[in-house]
Amino acid sequence: MNILVIGNGFDLAHGLPTKYTDFLEWITKYQQFYSYSTRKRAAGYRETNDSILKYFNKLFYDNMNKDICDEIYRLVYDNIWIQYFQQCKMYKKENWIDFESEISEVIQLFDKEMHKHSENDTFREAINDYHMEFYCKRGRKDIIAIQSIIRNLPEEITFKEIRNRFLDDLNRLIRVLEIYLCDYAEKLVIEKKSPDIQGLEVDFILSFNYTHIFSKLYSVSSQSKKEIADPFDYLHGEAKINNTIETNNMVLGIDEYLPKKRKNEETEFIAFKKFYQRIYKQTGNEYKRWVEIIKNHMQEIDDKIKKQYPVQIPYNKIPNKCRNQLFIFGHSLDITDKDVLREMILNDNVYTTIYYPDKKELGRKIANLVKIIGQDELIRRTGGNTKTIQFVLQKPMEKIKDS
């Protein structure tokens, strides 16, 4: 069994604008375009080379899809999270991990404040203390961002109502991200492919992305096509343009921040957490079946090896056809996905190949892998007869030849 794990670095390598800053830039240009267009037809935009402005020009003036145009407005208008990120200094960072961490910061602060009072108390009663705590923790400049949230809350709003507003606006944000990916990012022309991916015999794809770039450019093994209906597992959900806020299954949340006892008792903000969203939105978990297949076939693999090789040989010397292979491309190996990655990597009958674009990123991946499987385990699996993990420098992307 050959499994390919892909993260956002996979989409970025293929030229897609899938950093969260790309998404926020798209929203900001939408707001500018909409504001200008309501006053005067933006004729000058029709000649622009800016792909975002061209897209919105079609939405507004060429009647390409008026329903989508109207929906974007409803999702973006008065959205607390969009207002917050446009003010926040970490807007200049690029990773979705930073984006989720920032949401977590805000949620934790409001959660802590709510537990000092009651969910039915008004937030204005605690606003001075809250300002001071946020100021001490983040500094004077970042308090401007939190004020962008507070300014848009009604005078007598309760903590419970704030929590519900946060969740509603997060769901609106996720849906507009879905539109961005489906109707804009995925429609851009992809001009290059990865020779590393092109050369793999892949049976299953575990995607941490929402997009469908792999299926557009590459294919799974012919054997896999015969045996299963769908070789893709979208762990964080799958972007589809025909969804609604209610049918959207994209996971964009935060990690657990409460200690063991409290996390099972204090569930007021559970809907913001990734594990909850995966269960609630019923996202992919097919990879667990793959892991079970690997474990169940352990004895079968051992029997084949014993027949072919009477003398016991190191696992890393076993031919590829006799072992399961895990390929990881474009995933940061961040600890937020620890549970999934550990389950895949920590099998002695799985040989893992981790692709990296440059030395700097290699260093990050090694450091992150230590957090996932531990230093001793990493040392054991990257050298000697127990080697099951290797790091491979990505080959340069190749231009797609015209058919």
Side-chain angles (χ1 to χ4, degrees), residues 146-271:
I146 202 69
Q147 284 174 335
S148 70
I149 288 180
I150 295 169
R151 275 198 308 269
N152 290 283
L153 296 175
E155 283 290 334
E156 298 303 316
I157 192 170
T158 65
F159 280 99
K160 181 178 180 179
E161 291 168 337
I162 291 173
R163 181 192 62 203
N164 294 340
R165 173 71 183 274
F166 278 180
L167 185 59
D168 289 343
D169 282 7
L170 179 61
N171 288 330
R172 290 202 292 152
L173 176 69
I174 295 172
R175 172 54 185 161
V176 78
L177 171 61
E178 184 170 44
I179 294 174
Y180 168 75
L181 293 174
C182 293
D183 206 54
Y184 174 72
E186 285 199 86
K187 288 186 177 181
L188 297 175
V189 177
I190 298 176
E191 299 179 341
K192 48 191 177 181
K193 295 175 70 173
S194 166
D196 293 307
I197 303 300
Q198 188 70 29
L200 298 180
E201 276 283 315
V202 178
D203 300 310
F204 303 100
I205 297 89
L206 177 61
S207 178
F208 285 83
N209 300 336
Y210 311 114
T211 55
H212 310 86
I213 303 308
F214 182 94
S215 58
K216 290 183 177 182
L217 299 177
Y218 309 96
S219 60
V220 296
S221 68
S222 55
Q223 186 65 28
S224 176
K225 290 178 180 178
K226 293 178 182 178
E227 293 181 357
I228 56 175
D230 188 359
F232 292 87
D233 190 11
Y234 288 92
L235 193 70
H236 288 165
E238 183 179 2
K240 295 181 179 180
I241 191 62
N242 292 326
N243 275 336
T244 63
I245 291 180
E246 289 73 27
T247 60
N248 170 282
N249 75 339
M250 290 165 53
V251 172
L252 181 59
I254 63 179
D255 295 316
E256 183 58 69
Y257 57 84
L258 294 172
K260 188 173 183 179
K261 184 180 180 180
R262 290 178 59 197
K263 72 180 183 181
N264 295 325
E265 297 175 351
E266 300 174 13
T267 59
E268 292 87 353
F269 289 86
I270 195 173

Side-chain angles (χ1 to χ4, degrees), residues 332-349:
S332 65
L333 306 181
D334 188 79
I335 196 170
T336 56
D337 298 315
K338 176 180 178 178
D339 56 335
V340 178
L341 295 172
R342 273 182 65 89
E343 205 168 355
M344 306 283 286
I345 294 173
L346 292 185
N347 284 283
D348 286 332
N349 59 331

Side-chain angles (χ1 to χ4, degrees), residues 301-313:
I301 293 170
D302 285 345
D303 291 342
K304 286 182 180 179
I305 292 170
K306 287 175 183 177
K307 288 180 182 180
Q308 296 182 48
Y309 307 99
V311 179
Q312 187 174 4
I313 63 173

Side-chain angles (χ1 to χ4, degrees), residues 18-228:
T18 53
K19 298 192 293 287
Y20 92 82
T21 47
D22 296 324
F23 169 54
L24 288 182
E25 179 188 4
W26 183 82
I27 288 179
T28 300
K29 287 188 176 180
Y30 164 79
Q31 292 169 324
Q32 294 169 348
F33 194 100
Y34 184 85
S35 175
Y36 187 76
S37 299
T38 55
R39 297 193 305 271
K40 181 180 179 182
R41 183 180 177 88
Y45 286 164
R46 300 181 73 85
E47 306 302 323
T48 182
N49 290 322
D50 188 306
S51 62
I52 297 177
L53 294 179
K54 281 185 176 180
Y55 169 79
F56 287 128
N57 188 75
K58 287 183 178 180
L59 279 186
F60 277 83
Y61 299 128
D62 296 346
N63 294 320
M64 184 177 74
N65 197 325
K66 188 177 184 301
D67 290 340
I68 289 180
C69 183
D70 293 341
E71 185 179 4
I72 293 174
Y73 176 80
R74 292 193 301 271
L75 298 169
V76 170
Y77 177 74
D78 198 27
N79 189 304
I80 279 179
W81 291 111
I82 291 174
Q83 294 165 353
Y84 177 74
F85 280 107
Q86 288 176 332
Q87 292 283 341
C88 189
K89 287 297 176 183
M90 62 82 61
Y91 173 62
K92 298 301 179 184
K93 296 183 180 180
E94 298 181 347
N95 296 321
W96 283 100
I97 295 168
D98 300 315
F99 187 89
E100 293 167 347
S101 296
E102 193 66 25
I103 293 176
S104 183
E105 285 259 2
V106 175
I107 294 300
Q108 288 183 61
L109 286 167
F110 273 85
D111 189 0
K112 183 177 180 180
E113 196 64 38
M114 189 172 78
H115 279 87
K116 290 180 183 178
H117 301 82
S118 162
E119 67 175 17
N120 292 318
D121 287 345
T122 62
F123 179 62
R124 296 291 172 181
E125 296 173 14
I127 193 169
N128 291 331
D129 291 340
Y130 181 79
H131 264 195
M132 184 56 66
E133 181 169 349
F134 196 86
Y135 177 85
C136 292
K137 187 171 183 178
R138 298 294 298 275
R140 183 181 61 81
K141 291 183 179 179
D142 279 338
I143 201 170
I144 296 173
I146 202 69
Q147 284 174 335
S148 70
I149 288 180
I150 295 169
R151 275 198 308 269
N152 290 283
L153 296 175
E155 283 290 334
E156 298 303 316
I157 192 170
T158 65
F159 280 99
K160 181 178 180 179
E161 291 168 337
I162 291 173
R163 181 192 62 203
N164 294 340
R165 173 71 183 274
F166 278 180
L167 185 59
D168 289 343
D169 282 7
L170 179 61
N171 288 330
R172 290 202 292 152
L173 176 69
I174 295 172
R175 172 54 185 161
V176 78
L177 171 61
E178 184 170 44
I179 294 174
Y180 168 75
L181 293 174
C182 293
D183 206 54
Y184 174 72
E186 285 199 86
K187 288 186 177 181
L188 297 175
V189 177
I190 298 176
E191 299 179 341
K192 48 191 177 181
K193 295 175 70 173
S194 166
D196 293 307
I197 303 300
Q198 188 70 29
L200 298 180
E201 276 283 315
V202 178
D203 300 310
F204 303 100
I205 297 89
L206 177 61
S207 178
F208 285 83
N209 300 336
Y210 311 114
T211 55
H212 310 86
I213 303 308
F214 182 94
S215 58
K216 290 183 177 182
L217 299 177
Y218 309 96
S219 60
V220 296
S221 68
S222 55
Q223 186 65 28
S224 176
K225 290 178 180 178
K226 293 178 182 178
E227 293 181 357
I228 56 175

